[in-house]
Amino acid sequence: MAEVLVTGGAGFIGSNFVRFALAHHPDWRVTTLDKLTYAGRRENLHDVMNDPRHTFVHGDIADAAVSAPLVEQSDLVVHFAAETHVDRSILAAGDFIKTDVEGTFVLLEAARRAKNLKRFIQISTDEVYGSVASGASVETDELKPRNPYSASKAGADRLAYSYWATYDVPVIITRASNNYGPYQFPEKVIPLFVTNAIDDIPVPLYGDGRQIRDWLHVDDHCRAVDLLIERGTSGEVYNIGGGNEVMNIDLTMKILSGLGKPQSLIKPVADRPGHDRRYCLDTAKLRAVGWTPQVPFETGLRESLEWYRANEWWWRPIKENDPAFRSYYQAQYERRT
Ligand code: NAD
Ligand code: TYD
């Protein structure tokens, strides 16, 4: 049996990965380490909580007393845990430095001592490249992060690299584009707009709405990470991009028409400060390892709309009963209108 540690496994991508790992690797024992911040929820793992090959540990990656022994006993570490929302990082950056940079440092220190560690997958992001005016980012491009979230992730990305270059920790760094799919916290644009629209609440579109993101279905992301665990090379960076460049305004129209809602729900609001205009990834390096995205955007988006429509049990308690979410929503959106 391989011992696999997934940090941030109660979040959006982490929980999808835990489910994927248990389904595809009968010889893996998976431990989820998660602090259960506002974004981490046991509900995200509801169907695997009682799986005998899965253990859930409630703890902070930055707390070495909890996280270090877990890393030291692992064969594989897949490190998703992070503060992840750009808008929150603009309101208050402290937690981003603490978790994304310091937390990663604590894990890497433990990784130096781990006897059986074969992979440490550092989940970075395409946002470390900064805004891309034209063309597509390749892995060797300069990093030009422009907000506290992406700057923290760039710090962690390079710190992880340094632990490979200096101490031979078997680090692989992935930089994925914007993910979408089930269990995404309804602060990010797709689940926010979908759940607002279901309730006929206006969807707040930033600025001119002509910013571009490259959408990646979370299942394609899981397949890429899984492939890199098997066939990636330590010390290397791999872009993971869906190849679906879509303008925010077009995305919004697709969501509204997919739900049968009127375009009058679109509410233009003040832009995000320092808003990155466009991200775009060159994925030739990952494709050469054997990956291609399998979920066409139109299909993935339609299925995601269906998932949020069918799973109100999952998102309504956040949007309707969680005072922290309400006060975040007010702080974030009142000042924009
Ligand atoms: P998320 O916000 O949904 O989940 C993050 C998880 O990390 C939560 O479960 C949270 O409780 C946990 N966490 C936060 N701080 C922690 C700490 N100190 N100790 C332990 N657990 C902690 O995020 P996500 O969208 O699933 O993103 C996962 C990873 O993928 C992040 O590293 C993010 O930077 C990266 N990424 C995300 C995207 C995207 O589009 N969502 C794209 C590229 C890369
Ligand atoms: P988001 O989901 O926050 O991801 P990221 O900022 O990491 O790319 O936002 C995706 C795009 O949608 C981004 O260009 C900002 C825009 N956006 C809005 O227009 N309105 C919103 O309420 C949110 C949350 C995002």
Side-chain angles (χ1 to χ4, degrees), residues 7-14 33-41 59-62 79-84 99 123-126 149 153 176-179 183-185 187-188 221:
T7 72
F12 161 47
I13 306 171
L33 170 61
D34 199 292
K35 189 179 174 183
L36 297 179
T37 66
Y38 76 91
R41 304 176 71 219
D60 187 338
I61 56 164
H79 173 32
F80 290 101
E83 289 292 336
T84 61
T99 288
I123 303 291
S124 187
T125 165
D126 65 348
Y149 163 66
K153 292 295 292 184
S177 62
N178 282 64
N179 280 223
Y183 301 101
Q184 187 169 31
F185 195 78
E187 63 186 355
K188 304 279 168 41
H221 189 176

mmCIF file of all heavy atoms in Angstrom, residues 7-14 33-41 59-62 79-84 99 123-126 149 153 176-179 183-185 187-188 221, ligand 1:
data_model
loop_
_atom_site.group_PDB
_atom_site.id
_atom_site.type_symbol
_atom_site.label_atom_id
_atom_site.label_comp_id
_atom_site.label_asym_id
_atom_site.label_seq_id
_atom_site.Cartn_x
_atom_site.Cartn_y
_atom_site.Cartn_z
ATOM 1 N N THR A 7 -3.101 17.378 1.140
ATOM 2 C CA THR A 7 -3.418 18.554 1.958
ATOM 3 C C THR A 7 -4.519 19.344 1.250
ATOM 4 O O THR A 7 -4.593 19.355 0.020
ATOM 5 C CB THR A 7 -2.185 19.467 2.158
ATOM 6 O OG1 THR A 7 -1.902 20.135 0.924
ATOM 7 C CG2 THR A 7 -0.967 18.681 2.638
ATOM 8 N N GLY A 8 -5.378 19.957 2.042
ATOM 9 C CA GLY A 8 -6.477 20.716 1.432
ATOM 10 C C GLY A 8 -7.501 19.812 0.763
ATOM 11 O O GLY A 8 -8.245 20.250 -0.124
ATOM 12 N N GLY A 9 -7.573 18.566 1.224
ATOM 13 C CA GLY A 9 -8.464 17.592 0.586
ATOM 14 C C GLY A 9 -9.942 17.812 0.864
ATOM 15 O O GLY A 9 -10.784 17.131 0.273
ATOM 16 N N ALA A 10 -10.267 18.775 1.737
ATOM 17 C CA ALA A 10 -11.687 19.088 1.952
ATOM 18 C C ALA A 10 -12.128 20.294 1.132
ATOM 19 O O ALA A 10 -13.246 20.777 1.274
ATOM 20 C CB ALA A 10 -11.967 19.323 3.433
ATOM 21 N N GLY A 11 -11.224 20.803 0.285
ATOM 22 C CA GLY A 11 -11.585 21.921 -0.585
ATOM 23 C C GLY A 11 -12.111 21.412 -1.922
ATOM 24 O O GLY A 11 -12.380 20.215 -2.094
ATOM 25 N N PHE A 12 -12.234 22.320 -2.862
ATOM 26 C CA PHE A 12 -12.840 21.991 -4.165
ATOM 27 C C PHE A 12 -12.009 20.954 -4.928
ATOM 28 O O PHE A 12 -12.440 19.809 -5.135
ATOM 29 C CB PHE A 12 -13.012 23.292 -4.949
ATOM 30 C CG PHE A 12 -13.184 23.147 -6.432
ATOM 31 C CD1 PHE A 12 -14.068 22.220 -6.979
ATOM 32 C CD2 PHE A 12 -12.462 23.969 -7.305
ATOM 33 C CE1 PHE A 12 -14.230 22.101 -8.363
ATOM 34 C CE2 PHE A 12 -12.619 23.861 -8.682
ATOM 35 C CZ PHE A 12 -13.488 22.919 -9.207
ATOM 36 N N ILE A 13 -10.793 21.319 -5.321
ATOM 37 C CA ILE A 13 -10.017 20.404 -6.166
ATOM 38 C C ILE A 13 -9.528 19.220 -5.334
ATOM 39 O O ILE A 13 -9.552 18.073 -5.782
ATOM 40 C CB ILE A 13 -8.826 21.133 -6.839
ATOM 41 C CG1 ILE A 13 -9.314 22.361 -7.603
ATOM 42 C CG2 ILE A 13 -8.099 20.184 -7.788
ATOM 43 C CD1 ILE A 13 -8.209 23.263 -8.120
ATOM 44 N N GLY A 14 -9.108 19.510 -4.093
ATOM 45 C CA GLY A 14 -8.599 18.443 -3.229
ATOM 46 C C GLY A 14 -9.626 17.332 -3.034
ATOM 47 O O GLY A 14 -9.287 16.143 -3.086
ATOM 48 N N LEU A 33 -5.398 16.012 5.023
ATOM 49 C CA LEU A 33 -5.096 16.962 6.106
ATOM 50 C C LEU A 33 -5.709 18.297 5.726
ATOM 51 O O LEU A 33 -5.345 18.877 4.693
ATOM 52 C CB LEU A 33 -3.577 17.113 6.280
ATOM 53 C CG LEU A 33 -3.128 18.243 7.219
ATOM 54 C CD1 LEU A 33 -3.659 18.039 8.642
ATOM 55 C CD2 LEU A 33 -1.599 18.360 7.228
ATOM 56 N N ASP A 34 -6.644 18.780 6.531
ATOM 57 C CA ASP A 34 -7.332 20.017 6.165
ATOM 58 C C ASP A 34 -7.703 20.804 7.422
ATOM 59 O O ASP A 34 -8.185 20.246 8.413
ATOM 60 C CB ASP A 34 -8.588 19.699 5.341
ATOM 61 C CG ASP A 34 -9.060 20.906 4.553
ATOM 62 O OD1 ASP A 34 -9.527 21.897 5.170
ATOM 63 O OD2 ASP A 34 -8.956 20.882 3.307
ATOM 64 N N LYS A 35 -7.508 22.103 7.339
ATOM 65 C CA LYS A 35 -7.812 22.994 8.468
ATOM 66 C C LYS A 35 -9.310 23.296 8.575
ATOM 67 O O LYS A 35 -9.763 23.853 9.568
ATOM 68 C CB LYS A 35 -7.024 24.296 8.261
ATOM 69 C CG LYS A 35 -7.037 25.265 9.415
ATOM 70 C CD LYS A 35 -6.193 26.494 9.055
ATOM 71 C CE LYS A 35 -6.292 27.567 10.122
ATOM 72 N NZ LYS A 35 -5.537 28.775 9.729
ATOM 73 N N LEU A 36 -10.050 22.958 7.543
ATOM 74 C CA LEU A 36 -11.475 23.302 7.470
ATOM 75 C C LEU A 36 -11.674 24.801 7.687
ATOM 76 O O LEU A 36 -12.358 25.235 8.617
ATOM 77 C CB LEU A 36 -12.310 22.476 8.473
ATOM 78 C CG LEU A 36 -12.304 20.966 8.245
ATOM 79 C CD1 LEU A 36 -13.130 20.244 9.314
ATOM 80 C CD2 LEU A 36 -12.822 20.595 6.855
ATOM 81 N N THR A 37 -11.047 25.577 6.837
ATOM 82 C CA THR A 37 -11.316 27.014 6.802
ATOM 83 C C THR A 37 -12.727 27.186 6.235
ATOM 84 O O THR A 37 -13.409 26.195 5.951
ATOM 85 C CB THR A 37 -10.341 27.739 5.852
ATOM 86 O OG1 THR A 37 -10.602 27.283 4.509
ATOM 87 C CG2 THR A 37 -8.880 27.447 6.220
ATOM 88 N N TYR A 38 -13.130 28.415 5.989
ATOM 89 C CA TYR A 38 -14.460 28.645 5.395
ATOM 90 C C TYR A 38 -14.637 27.824 4.109
ATOM 91 O O TYR A 38 -15.742 27.428 3.751
ATOM 92 C CB TYR A 38 -14.650 30.149 5.089
ATOM 93 C CG TYR A 38 -13.890 30.572 3.855
ATOM 94 C CD1 TYR A 38 -14.484 30.539 2.606
ATOM 95 C CD2 TYR A 38 -12.546 30.947 3.929
ATOM 96 C CE1 TYR A 38 -13.782 30.858 1.454
ATOM 97 C CE2 TYR A 38 -11.837 31.270 2.797
ATOM 98 C CZ TYR A 38 -12.455 31.224 1.561
ATOM 99 O OH TYR A 38 -11.753 31.521 0.438
ATOM 100 N N ALA A 39 -13.522 27.558 3.396
ATOM 101 C CA ALA A 39 -13.618 26.895 2.086
ATOM 102 C C ALA A 39 -13.550 25.379 2.185
ATOM 103 O O ALA A 39 -13.899 24.679 1.231
ATOM 104 C CB ALA A 39 -12.499 27.383 1.161
ATOM 105 N N GLY A 40 -13.099 24.877 3.316
ATOM 106 C CA GLY A 40 -12.949 23.436 3.464
ATOM 107 C C GLY A 40 -14.148 22.872 4.207
ATOM 108 O O GLY A 40 -14.526 23.362 5.269
ATOM 109 N N ARG A 41 -14.757 21.825 3.656
ATOM 110 C CA ARG A 41 -15.988 21.316 4.257
ATOM 111 C C ARG A 41 -15.995 19.794 4.235
ATOM 112 O O ARG A 41 -15.692 19.182 3.203
ATOM 113 C CB ARG A 41 -17.196 21.860 3.494
ATOM 114 C CG ARG A 41 -17.213 23.382 3.436
ATOM 115 C CD ARG A 41 -18.367 23.882 2.603
ATOM 116 N NE ARG A 41 -19.645 23.683 3.243
ATOM 117 C CZ ARG A 41 -20.761 23.315 2.613
ATOM 118 N NH1 ARG A 41 -20.741 23.098 1.319
ATOM 119 N NH2 ARG A 41 -21.885 23.167 3.273
ATOM 120 N N GLY A 59 -6.480 19.624 10.715
ATOM 121 C CA GLY A 59 -5.287 20.298 11.224
ATOM 122 C C GLY A 59 -4.735 21.280 10.209
ATOM 123 O O GLY A 59 -5.126 21.302 9.037
ATOM 124 N N ASP A 60 -3.785 22.075 10.698
ATOM 125 C CA ASP A 60 -3.195 23.170 9.913
ATOM 126 C C ASP A 60 -1.853 22.713 9.354
ATOM 127 O O ASP A 60 -1.005 22.222 10.117
ATOM 128 C CB ASP A 60 -3.007 24.362 10.878
ATOM 129 C CG ASP A 60 -2.564 25.635 10.181
ATOM 130 O OD1 ASP A 60 -2.001 25.558 9.070
ATOM 131 O OD2 ASP A 60 -2.773 26.703 10.767
ATOM 132 N N ILE A 61 -1.635 22.889 8.066
ATOM 133 C CA ILE A 61 -0.334 22.486 7.492
ATOM 134 C C ILE A 61 0.818 23.249 8.138
ATOM 135 O O ILE A 61 1.936 22.756 8.215
ATOM 136 C CB ILE A 61 -0.274 22.675 5.953
ATOM 137 C CG1 ILE A 61 -0.596 24.117 5.541
ATOM 138 C CG2 ILE A 61 -1.172 21.674 5.247
ATOM 139 C CD1 ILE A 61 -0.186 24.457 4.111
ATOM 140 N N ALA A 62 0.542 24.469 8.623
ATOM 141 C CA ALA A 62 1.606 25.284 9.220
ATOM 142 C C ALA A 62 1.944 24.843 10.644
ATOM 143 O O ALA A 62 2.917 25.326 11.229
ATOM 144 C CB ALA A 62 1.196 26.759 9.207
ATOM 145 N N HIS A 79 -0.029 18.503 -2.509
ATOM 146 C CA HIS A 79 -0.233 19.667 -1.634
ATOM 147 C C HIS A 79 -1.137 20.718 -2.295
ATOM 148 O O HIS A 79 -0.690 21.579 -3.038
ATOM 149 C CB HIS A 79 1.143 20.253 -1.289
ATOM 150 C CG HIS A 79 1.101 21.539 -0.533
ATOM 151 N ND1 HIS A 79 0.096 21.857 0.362
ATOM 152 C CD2 HIS A 79 1.950 22.602 -0.532
ATOM 153 C CE1 HIS A 79 0.330 23.066 0.861
ATOM 154 N NE2 HIS A 79 1.437 23.534 0.335
ATOM 155 N N PHE A 80 -2.446 20.585 -1.963
ATOM 156 C CA PHE A 80 -3.440 21.539 -2.487
ATOM 157 C C PHE A 80 -3.730 22.665 -1.496
ATOM 158 O O PHE A 80 -4.229 23.721 -1.908
ATOM 159 C CB PHE A 80 -4.784 20.829 -2.729
ATOM 160 C CG PHE A 80 -4.824 19.852 -3.863
ATOM 161 C CD1 PHE A 80 -4.740 18.483 -3.636
ATOM 162 C CD2 PHE A 80 -4.974 20.287 -5.173
ATOM 163 C CE1 PHE A 80 -4.799 17.575 -4.677
ATOM 164 C CE2 PHE A 80 -5.031 19.387 -6.229
ATOM 165 C CZ PHE A 80 -4.942 18.023 -5.974
ATOM 166 N N ALA A 81 -3.486 22.436 -0.198
ATOM 167 C CA ALA A 81 -3.984 23.386 0.817
ATOM 168 C C ALA A 81 -3.483 24.795 0.547
ATOM 169 O O ALA A 81 -2.284 25.016 0.356
ATOM 170 C CB ALA A 81 -3.549 22.930 2.211
ATOM 171 N N ALA A 82 -4.401 25.737 0.546
ATOM 172 C CA ALA A 82 -4.037 27.138 0.307
ATOM 173 C C ALA A 82 -5.247 28.018 0.578
ATOM 174 O O ALA A 82 -6.387 27.552 0.574
ATOM 175 C CB ALA A 82 -3.586 27.332 -1.148
ATOM 176 N N GLU A 83 -4.978 29.275 0.837
ATOM 177 C CA GLU A 83 -6.007 30.298 0.670
ATOM 178 C C GLU A 83 -6.014 30.599 -0.817
ATOM 179 O O GLU A 83 -4.941 30.791 -1.416
ATOM 180 C CB GLU A 83 -5.656 31.546 1.478
ATOM 181 C CG GLU A 83 -5.787 31.353 2.979
ATOM 182 C CD GLU A 83 -7.227 31.168 3.431
ATOM 183 O OE1 GLU A 83 -8.148 31.616 2.720
ATOM 184 O OE2 GLU A 83 -7.436 30.549 4.492
ATOM 185 N N THR A 84 -7.214 30.672 -1.427
ATOM 186 C CA THR A 84 -7.239 30.611 -2.891
ATOM 187 C C THR A 84 -7.997 31.737 -3.603
ATOM 188 O O THR A 84 -7.995 31.762 -4.827
ATOM 189 C CB THR A 84 -7.876 29.276 -3.350
ATOM 190 O OG1 THR A 84 -9.230 29.229 -2.863
ATOM 191 C CG2 THR A 84 -7.097 28.085 -2.846
ATOM 192 N N THR A 99 -0.514 30.553 5.144
ATOM 193 C CA THR A 99 -0.772 29.188 4.648
ATOM 194 C C THR A 99 0.030 28.888 3.382
ATOM 195 O O THR A 99 0.737 27.882 3.301
ATOM 196 C CB THR A 99 -2.279 28.994 4.386
ATOM 197 O OG1 THR A 99 -2.953 28.924 5.643
ATOM 198 C CG2 THR A 99 -2.550 27.721 3.607
ATOM 199 N N ILE A 123 1.040 22.083 -5.845
ATOM 200 C CA ILE A 123 -0.027 22.585 -6.716
ATOM 201 C C ILE A 123 0.083 24.107 -6.768
ATOM 202 O O ILE A 123 -0.315 24.813 -5.839
ATOM 203 C CB ILE A 123 -1.418 22.156 -6.210
ATOM 204 C CG1 ILE A 123 -1.525 20.619 -6.077
ATOM 205 C CG2 ILE A 123 -2.511 22.721 -7.133
ATOM 206 C CD1 ILE A 123 -1.526 19.841 -7.374
ATOM 207 N N SER A 124 0.673 24.594 -7.857
ATOM 208 C CA SER A 124 0.787 26.041 -8.049
ATOM 209 C C SER A 124 -0.360 26.490 -8.972
ATOM 210 O O SER A 124 -1.396 25.822 -9.031
ATOM 211 C CB SER A 124 2.179 26.353 -8.622
ATOM 212 O OG SER A 124 2.407 27.733 -8.684
ATOM 213 N N THR A 125 -0.200 27.552 -9.683
ATOM 214 C CA THR A 125 -1.312 28.092 -10.489
ATOM 215 C C THR A 125 -0.778 28.881 -11.679
ATOM 216 O O THR A 125 0.339 29.424 -11.620
ATOM 217 C CB THR A 125 -2.191 29.018 -9.618
ATOM 218 O OG1 THR A 125 -3.032 29.801 -10.469
ATOM 219 C CG2 THR A 125 -1.374 29.980 -8.773
ATOM 220 N N ASP A 126 -1.601 28.980 -12.722
ATOM 221 C CA ASP A 126 -1.193 29.808 -13.879
ATOM 222 C C ASP A 126 -1.122 31.291 -13.513
ATOM 223 O O ASP A 126 -0.532 32.079 -14.245
ATOM 224 C CB ASP A 126 -2.139 29.589 -15.069
ATOM 225 C CG ASP A 126 -3.570 30.057 -14.836
ATOM 226 O OD1 ASP A 126 -3.941 30.364 -13.686
ATOM 227 O OD2 ASP A 126 -4.338 30.102 -15.826
ATOM 228 N N TYR A 149 -2.614 36.917 -3.652
ATOM 229 C CA TYR A 149 -2.785 35.465 -3.824
ATOM 230 C C TYR A 149 -1.710 34.920 -4.747
ATOM 231 O O TYR A 149 -0.968 33.983 -4.384
ATOM 232 C CB TYR A 149 -4.181 35.144 -4.385
ATOM 233 C CG TYR A 149 -4.287 33.747 -4.967
ATOM 234 C CD1 TYR A 149 -4.173 32.616 -4.154
ATOM 235 C CD2 TYR A 149 -4.480 33.549 -6.338
ATOM 236 C CE1 TYR A 149 -4.251 31.339 -4.687
ATOM 237 C CE2 TYR A 149 -4.564 32.271 -6.890
ATOM 238 C CZ TYR A 149 -4.442 31.172 -6.060
ATOM 239 O OH TYR A 149 -4.508 29.906 -6.589
ATOM 240 N N LYS A 153 1.445 32.334 -3.980
ATOM 241 C CA LYS A 153 1.599 31.063 -4.682
ATOM 242 C C LYS A 153 2.939 31.006 -5.421
ATOM 243 O O LYS A 153 3.575 29.949 -5.485
ATOM 244 C CB LYS A 153 0.446 30.860 -5.675
ATOM 245 C CG LYS A 153 -0.912 30.633 -5.042
ATOM 246 C CD LYS A 153 -1.029 29.357 -4.244
ATOM 247 C CE LYS A 153 -0.973 28.121 -5.114
ATOM 248 N NZ LYS A 153 -1.184 26.886 -4.286
ATOM 249 N N ALA A 176 -1.919 25.001 -12.922
ATOM 250 C CA ALA A 176 -3.181 24.778 -13.634
ATOM 251 C C ALA A 176 -3.905 26.094 -13.873
ATOM 252 O O ALA A 176 -3.720 27.072 -13.153
ATOM 253 C CB ALA A 176 -4.068 23.832 -12.833
ATOM 254 N N SER A 177 -4.755 26.063 -14.888
ATOM 255 C CA SER A 177 -5.611 27.219 -15.175
ATOM 256 C C SER A 177 -6.889 27.129 -14.330
ATOM 257 O O SER A 177 -7.045 26.217 -13.512
ATOM 258 C CB SER A 177 -5.921 27.271 -16.670
ATOM 259 O OG SER A 177 -6.626 26.108 -17.055
ATOM 260 N N ASN A 178 -7.806 28.070 -14.535
ATOM 261 C CA ASN A 178 -9.038 28.120 -13.723
ATOM 262 C C ASN A 178 -9.821 26.815 -13.821
ATOM 263 O O ASN A 178 -10.203 26.405 -14.915
ATOM 264 C CB ASN A 178 -9.943 29.256 -14.203
ATOM 265 C CG ASN A 178 -9.468 30.602 -13.718
ATOM 266 O OD1 ASN A 178 -8.368 31.048 -14.079
ATOM 267 N ND2 ASN A 178 -10.263 31.254 -12.904
ATOM 268 N N ASN A 179 -10.081 26.221 -12.673
ATOM 269 C CA ASN A 179 -10.852 24.975 -12.616
ATOM 270 C C ASN A 179 -12.343 25.253 -12.446
ATOM 271 O O ASN A 179 -12.722 26.272 -11.864
ATOM 272 C CB ASN A 179 -10.433 24.145 -11.408
ATOM 273 C CG ASN A 179 -9.159 23.352 -11.597
ATOM 274 O OD1 ASN A 179 -9.077 22.202 -11.209
ATOM 275 N ND2 ASN A 179 -8.125 23.950 -12.191
ATOM 276 N N TYR A 183 -18.548 20.936 -6.299
ATOM 277 C CA TYR A 183 -17.974 21.242 -4.970
ATOM 278 C C TYR A 183 -17.072 22.472 -4.972
ATOM 279 O O TYR A 183 -16.202 22.591 -4.122
ATOM 280 C CB TYR A 183 -17.191 20.039 -4.396
ATOM 281 C CG TYR A 183 -17.990 18.774 -4.219
ATOM 282 C CD1 TYR A 183 -17.902 17.732 -5.142
ATOM 283 C CD2 TYR A 183 -18.838 18.613 -3.126
ATOM 284 C CE1 TYR A 183 -18.642 16.559 -4.982
ATOM 285 C CE2 TYR A 183 -19.576 17.444 -2.948
ATOM 286 C CZ TYR A 183 -19.474 16.428 -3.887
ATOM 287 O OH TYR A 183 -20.198 15.271 -3.718
ATOM 288 N N GLN A 184 -17.249 23.395 -5.917
ATOM 289 C CA GLN A 184 -16.437 24.628 -5.888
ATOM 290 C C GLN A 184 -17.152 25.662 -5.028
ATOM 291 O O GLN A 184 -18.345 25.931 -5.219
ATOM 292 C CB GLN A 184 -16.205 25.170 -7.304
ATOM 293 C CG GLN A 184 -15.232 26.355 -7.315
ATOM 294 C CD GLN A 184 -14.770 26.739 -8.705
ATOM 295 O OE1 GLN A 184 -15.513 26.569 -9.679
ATOM 296 N NE2 GLN A 184 -13.564 27.263 -8.811
ATOM 297 N N PHE A 185 -16.425 26.251 -4.100
ATOM 298 C CA PHE A 185 -17.040 27.173 -3.139
ATOM 299 C C PHE A 185 -17.684 28.351 -3.888
ATOM 300 O O PHE A 185 -17.062 28.930 -4.781
ATOM 301 C CB PHE A 185 -15.968 27.687 -2.164
ATOM 302 C CG PHE A 185 -16.555 28.337 -0.946
ATOM 303 C CD1 PHE A 185 -17.060 27.567 0.093
ATOM 304 C CD2 PHE A 185 -16.632 29.713 -0.850
ATOM 305 C CE1 PHE A 185 -17.620 28.168 1.217
ATOM 306 C CE2 PHE A 185 -17.190 30.320 0.265
ATOM 307 C CZ PHE A 185 -17.680 29.548 1.307
ATOM 308 N N GLU A 187 -17.903 31.349 -3.999
ATOM 309 C CA GLU A 187 -17.312 32.685 -4.082
ATOM 310 C C GLU A 187 -16.644 32.860 -5.447
ATOM 311 O O GLU A 187 -16.467 33.970 -5.916
ATOM 312 C CB GLU A 187 -16.241 32.860 -2.996
ATOM 313 C CG GLU A 187 -15.075 31.895 -3.179
ATOM 314 C CD GLU A 187 -14.042 31.903 -2.075
ATOM 315 O OE1 GLU A 187 -14.135 32.733 -1.158
ATOM 316 O OE2 GLU A 187 -13.133 31.044 -2.135
ATOM 317 N N LYS A 188 -16.266 31.735 -6.092
ATOM 318 C CA LYS A 188 -15.600 31.776 -7.385
ATOM 319 C C LYS A 188 -16.656 31.998 -8.465
ATOM 320 O O LYS A 188 -17.829 31.695 -8.259
ATOM 321 C CB LYS A 188 -14.819 30.476 -7.637
ATOM 322 C CG LYS A 188 -13.801 30.150 -6.537
ATOM 323 C CD LYS A 188 -12.516 30.907 -6.681
ATOM 324 C CE LYS A 188 -11.578 30.852 -5.498
ATOM 325 N NZ LYS A 188 -11.394 29.621 -4.804
ATOM 326 N N HIS A 221 -8.015 18.004 -14.447
ATOM 327 C CA HIS A 221 -6.920 18.391 -13.543
ATOM 328 C C HIS A 221 -6.463 17.165 -12.737
ATOM 329 O O HIS A 221 -5.263 16.887 -12.629
ATOM 330 C CB HIS A 221 -7.401 19.515 -12.624
ATOM 331 C CG HIS A 221 -6.313 20.139 -11.811
ATOM 332 N ND1 HIS A 221 -6.524 21.210 -10.979
ATOM 333 C CD2 HIS A 221 -4.992 19.850 -11.669
ATOM 334 C CE1 HIS A 221 -5.380 21.545 -10.388
ATOM 335 N NE2 HIS A 221 -4.440 20.736 -10.796
HETATM 336 P P1 NAD B 1 -10.294 25.785 -2.019
HETATM 337 O O1 NAD B 1 -10.231 27.160 -1.451
HETATM 338 O O2 NAD B 1 -11.595 25.239 -2.490
HETATM 339 O O3 NAD B 1 -9.728 24.741 -0.938
HETATM 340 C C1 NAD B 1 -8.591 24.983 -0.178
HETATM 341 C C2 NAD B 1 -8.564 23.952 0.947
HETATM 342 O O4 NAD B 1 -7.369 24.157 1.721
HETATM 343 C C3 NAD B 1 -9.747 24.066 1.912
HETATM 344 O O5 NAD B 1 -10.258 22.781 2.182
HETATM 345 C C4 NAD B 1 -9.136 24.673 3.159
HETATM 346 O O6 NAD B 1 -9.799 24.308 4.351
HETATM 347 C C5 NAD B 1 -7.722 24.108 3.091
HETATM 348 N N1 NAD B 1 -6.765 24.910 3.852
HETATM 349 C C6 NAD B 1 -6.589 26.255 3.801
HETATM 350 N N2 NAD B 1 -5.628 26.624 4.675
HETATM 351 C C7 NAD B 1 -5.164 25.486 5.255
HETATM 352 C C8 NAD B 1 -4.176 25.219 6.210
HETATM 353 N N3 NAD B 1 -3.434 26.205 6.745
HETATM 354 N N4 NAD B 1 -3.957 23.932 6.584
HETATM 355 C C9 NAD B 1 -4.695 22.933 6.052
HETATM 356 N N5 NAD B 1 -5.671 23.128 5.149
HETATM 357 C C10 NAD B 1 -5.898 24.392 4.741
HETATM 358 O O7 NAD B 1 -9.209 25.759 -3.161
HETATM 359 P P2 NAD B 1 -9.144 24.980 -4.554
HETATM 360 O O8 NAD B 1 -9.796 25.805 -5.579
HETATM 361 O O9 NAD B 1 -9.548 23.586 -4.362
HETATM 362 O O10 NAD B 1 -7.568 25.050 -4.845
HETATM 363 C C11 NAD B 1 -6.712 24.000 -4.406
HETATM 364 C C12 NAD B 1 -5.298 24.312 -4.867
HETATM 365 O O11 NAD B 1 -5.257 24.435 -6.285
HETATM 366 C C13 NAD B 1 -4.729 25.614 -4.303
HETATM 367 O O12 NAD B 1 -3.372 25.412 -4.005
HETATM 368 C C14 NAD B 1 -4.893 26.593 -5.464
HETATM 369 O O13 NAD B 1 -3.923 27.616 -5.397
HETATM 370 C C15 NAD B 1 -4.660 25.668 -6.647
HETATM 371 N N6 NAD B 1 -5.295 26.095 -7.899
HETATM 372 C C16 NAD B 1 -6.632 26.352 -7.929
HETATM 373 C C17 NAD B 1 -7.219 26.696 -9.132
HETATM 374 C C18 NAD B 1 -8.703 26.972 -9.220
HETATM 375 O O14 NAD B 1 -9.182 27.367 -10.285
HETATM 376 N N7 NAD B 1 -9.484 26.733 -8.182
HETATM 377 C C19 NAD B 1 -6.439 26.797 -10.299
HETATM 378 C C20 NAD B 1 -5.070 26.515 -10.218
HETATM 379 C C21 NAD B 1 -4.511 26.154 -9.015
#
